[in-house]
Amino acid sequence: MKSIIITLSALCALFTASSALSAQIVNSDAGKVKIGVVSAGGATTLDELVARLSAQADKQGATYFKVISTSGANKMHGVADIYK
């Protein structure tokens, strides 16, 4: 029983640490330096699209991203500015 609790605690810490490293969505670009633009597609929900844009921002080394456009119905596409 103790080993299960220790394992679950370690997994929770791992997930918390990995989410802290991902790019954060922002509403304002004030005080941030734009480093580029990313795009993502093929998402079926807006949440999935934002997650894909966040992953692309992470790959480019961004700390923040701001969604600037979305389109689509069954398959969504989006574009985001990325910032440090």
Side-chain angles (χ1 to χ4, degrees), residues 26 31 43 46 49 55 61:
V26 294
L46 190 54
L49 180 60

Side-chain angles (χ1 to χ4, degrees), residues 27-44:
N27 293 327
S28 171
D29 55 3
K32 296 166 184 63
V33 177
K34 183 176 176 180
I35 60 171
V37 177
V38 294
S39 65
T44 56

Side-chain angles (χ1 to χ4, degrees), residues 37-62:
V37 177
V38 294
S39 65
T44 56
T45 66
L46 190 54
D47 287 338
E48 183 182 350
L49 180 60
V50 170
R52 289 181 183 204
L53 288 168
S54 178
Q56 290 296 324
D58 288 342
K59 287 180 185 177
Q60 298 296 320

Side-chain angles (χ1 to χ4, degrees), residues 1-9:
M1 184 67 169
K2 238 182 191 181
S3 64
I4 292 173
I5 293 172
I6 292 171
T7 303
L8 289 175
S9 296

